[in-house]
Amino acid sequence: MDLQQLFEEILPGNRLPTQQVTSVTCDSRQVRRGSVFVCIAGSLTDGHNYVVQALQRGAILVVAQRDCGVPNQLLFPDTRIVYARLCAAFFGYPARKLKLLGVTGTNGKTTTAWLTHHALIQLGVKAGLIGTICNRVGEQSIPARYTTPDAWELQELLAQMLQCGCTHVVMEASSQALEQKRLYGCFFACAAFTNLTPEHLDYHGDVESYYQAKRELFSQCGAAVVNTADAYGQRLYRELSERGEYPVAAFGSSETELYAENISLQADRCSCTVCYNGERCEAILGLPGSFSVENMLTAVGLLLHCGYSLQESVAALCSCKGVPGRTEVCLSQDGITVIRDYAHTPDALEKVLTTLRDTTKGRVICLFGCGGDRDKGKRPRMGEIAARLADVTVLTSDNPRSEEPMAILEDILQGMGEKQPEVLEPDRKTAIAAALTLARPGDTVLLA
């Protein structure tokens, strides 16, 4: 592809040189001969400061928001948008040829996306998956660096999915990705909202900004499925319904068209009756917790939008044996159950501990930590939740990044009051061994 073709939709009738473009990148370290370098000002660094390095490495054009003092540059008011559009153009706009299903919210995105992708495969659809656990291109599983990839990686994945015959793609949409315009230009046939609780406030600043970032997904879709059992879901449903631009389906309570009744929770599964417009269908899903019922309903909503019946949707979803790292039963032996769960927010930790509290005959042993260089305000809150809901607490590291591990644990301890942890061990492997040693028949060990 040459420069004229690359900018054809952004600058119609442009007279750019017919030089061949080898890549589009916003990372000067990734520039090679023939690259277009897009300057993006981030929170830690500013691409405008690396223009000289990019040109030295072979960039043929610089896209910037301010004059960089070089002849071969184009200026635009928002280079994030231009970057997303150029990446899509380079790969031939693959999103336009695929049915995209998006999932956003604080908790439940990964499980909902995984369940929906699994169900589509069971229903005979060739579908791709983009999310936290991994990216799935046909039968190939590709490690995921971020919940939602950079625009270049995203468009490359979509192009690969299209090439291998995929017709549908299920995608997690993170608040950072939406705010950073990584998904700009991608139209979603249907977008789902799971819930919203305070998270990533170190990035967004406040909950309202966090909500507005999530809401951005619903400005680029043709239908929505919204959990109105959540307070922010009620707000989103009301706002979208008032706009009246596309169909909006509500789920989560008996006042909505899609809900669950007769819910029964066991240590390794949940069961319920799924109700939709007067129709009922029994469901047994191999994931524990009331939140698993919510995630299943979200997935049902997406599948119903795709044209599948309630019976087909529920049967396909319930054939899923589990989601890696999401209330995943890793061990059930000698009366001891070990569960691995991604719970890394106060809301998620409280939900999974409440579920285990209700289904555990013996003690609940909770091993957890908090990530470094992230929202410090949630650390004491998670400490309080663990102290209140777990019988035994083991504090350890959870990706400390550049912070001192013990400093993070000290922040958690501030919320635990008099109920101090039985084990305080920064080395996670050693801490897990200690937690398992403490377990006795009837206990559940949560590795959060």
Side-chain angles (χ1 to χ4, degrees), residues 352-368 383-394 416 418-423 435 438-446:
V352 71
L353 282 174
T354 300
T355 291
L356 298 182
R357 178 79 283 153
D358 293 341
T359 56
T360 298
K361 294 179 181 178
R363 303 172 303 164
V364 174
I365 300 172
C366 176
L367 176 146
F368 80 103
E384 183 277 325
I385 290 165
R388 173 165 46 90
L389 294 175
D391 300 294
V392 178
T393 304
V394 177
M416 298 191 70
E418 296 181 359
K419 190 175 179 182
Q420 294 297 289
E422 274 68 16
V423 178
L438 291 169
R440 55 190 186 222
D443 291 350
T444 297
V445 179
L446 170 66

Side-chain angles (χ1 to χ4, degrees), residues 48 50 70 98 104 211 252 254 331 347 392:
H48 293 82
Y50 298 92
V70 296
L98 293 161
T104 197
Y211 169 75
S254 57
L331 175 71
D347 181 64
V392 178

Side-chain angles (χ1 to χ4, degrees), residues 3-313:
L3 277 173
Q4 286 186 12
Q5 292 174 306
L6 185 68
F7 281 86
E8 186 174 3
E9 289 198 11
I10 299 173
L11 295 174
N14 70 79
R15 296 184 179 182
L16 292 170
T18 55
Q19 288 176 277
Q20 289 300 302
V21 179
T22 57
S23 71
V24 178
T25 182
C26 60
D27 186 342
S28 61
R29 297 166 299 182
Q30 301 299 319
V31 171
R32 58 180 185 265
R33 187 163 299 281
S35 295
V36 170
F37 177 61
V38 183
C39 303
I40 290 178
S43 57
L44 298 177
T45 187
D46 186 344
H48 293 82
N49 299 330
Y50 298 92
V51 168
V52 173
Q53 292 92 321
L55 292 172
Q56 289 173 345
R57 294 178 67 92
I60 58 173
L61 184 71
V62 171
V63 174
Q65 287 184 190
R66 62 174 185 265
D67 188 355
C68 297
V70 296
N72 49 338
Q73 66 176 356
L74 290 175
L75 301 183
F76 292 89
D78 191 333
T79 51
R80 289 189 183 277
I81 289 177
V82 176
Y83 178 56
R85 294 183 68 182
L86 289 176
C87 291
F90 185 90
F91 288 102
Y93 298 100
R96 297 177 181 178
K97 303 156 192 167
L98 293 161
K99 189 179 183 103
L100 303 185
L101 303 174
V103 185
T104 197
T106 304
N107 300 311
K109 295 189 301 296
T110 299
T111 298
T112 299
W114 186 278
L115 287 172
T116 305
H117 176 261
H118 169 88
L120 287 171
I121 299 298
Q122 292 295 306
L123 291 164
V125 177
K126 195 153 189 181
L129 173 68
I130 295 175
T132 304
I133 296 175
C134 67
N135 300 314
R136 298 280 299 177
V137 180
E139 299 299 318
Q140 183 184 11
S141 181
I142 302 171
R145 292 189 302 149
Y146 306 108
T147 296
T148 311
D150 162 82
W152 174 268
E153 183 183 353
L154 171 65
Q155 297 296 334
E156 185 177 34
L157 281 168
L158 294 176
Q160 291 173 358
M161 292 173 183
L162 189 64
Q163 188 172 21
C164 79
C166 290
T167 57
H168 294 59
V169 177
V170 186
M171 186 190 310
E172 293 182 53
S174 71
S175 57
Q176 293 100 320
L178 289 162
E179 186 163 292
Q180 294 169 9
K181 310 296 183 185
R182 296 183 219 163
L183 299 174
Y184 189 90
C186 292
F187 178 80
F188 291 81
C190 188
F193 179 86
T194 59
N195 52 61
L196 191 137
T197 59
E199 174 66 340
H200 303 303
L201 300 190
D202 54 318
Y203 179 86
H204 294 288
D206 54 55
V207 179
E208 179 61 23
S209 299
Y210 179 43
Y211 169 75
Q212 292 298 334
K214 294 287 189 187
R215 194 183 185 284
E216 188 65 28
L217 178 64
F218 300 89
S219 67
Q220 52 193 93
C221 67
V225 178
V226 180
N227 178 15
T228 55
D230 176 84
Y232 278 95
Q234 293 174 15
R235 174 182 169 183
L236 179 64
Y237 178 79
R238 183 176 63 254
E239 291 173 352
L240 296 179
S241 298
E242 288 173 355
R243 273 171 40 188
E245 295 178 1
Y246 50 70
V248 184
F251 72 90
S253 67
S254 57
E255 290 78 32
T256 61
E257 54 194 293
L258 175 63
Y259 63 95
E261 61 182 17
N262 304 323
I263 298 172
S264 176
L265 306 176
Q266 288 81 39
D268 59 349
R269 65 190 183 280
C270 61
S271 60
C272 64
T273 303
V274 180
C275 307
Y276 175 64
N277 287 340
E279 186 181 358
R280 283 170 165 72
C281 181
E282 300 305 314
I284 301 175
L285 182 67
L287 292 170
S290 58
F291 46 85
S292 296
V293 176
E294 288 185 1
N295 295 333
M296 178 174 63
L297 287 176
T298 314
V300 169
L302 288 169
L303 292 169
L304 289 171
H305 171 79
C306 290
Y308 296 101
S309 69
L310 179 65
Q311 298 288 338
E312 289 174 319
S313 301

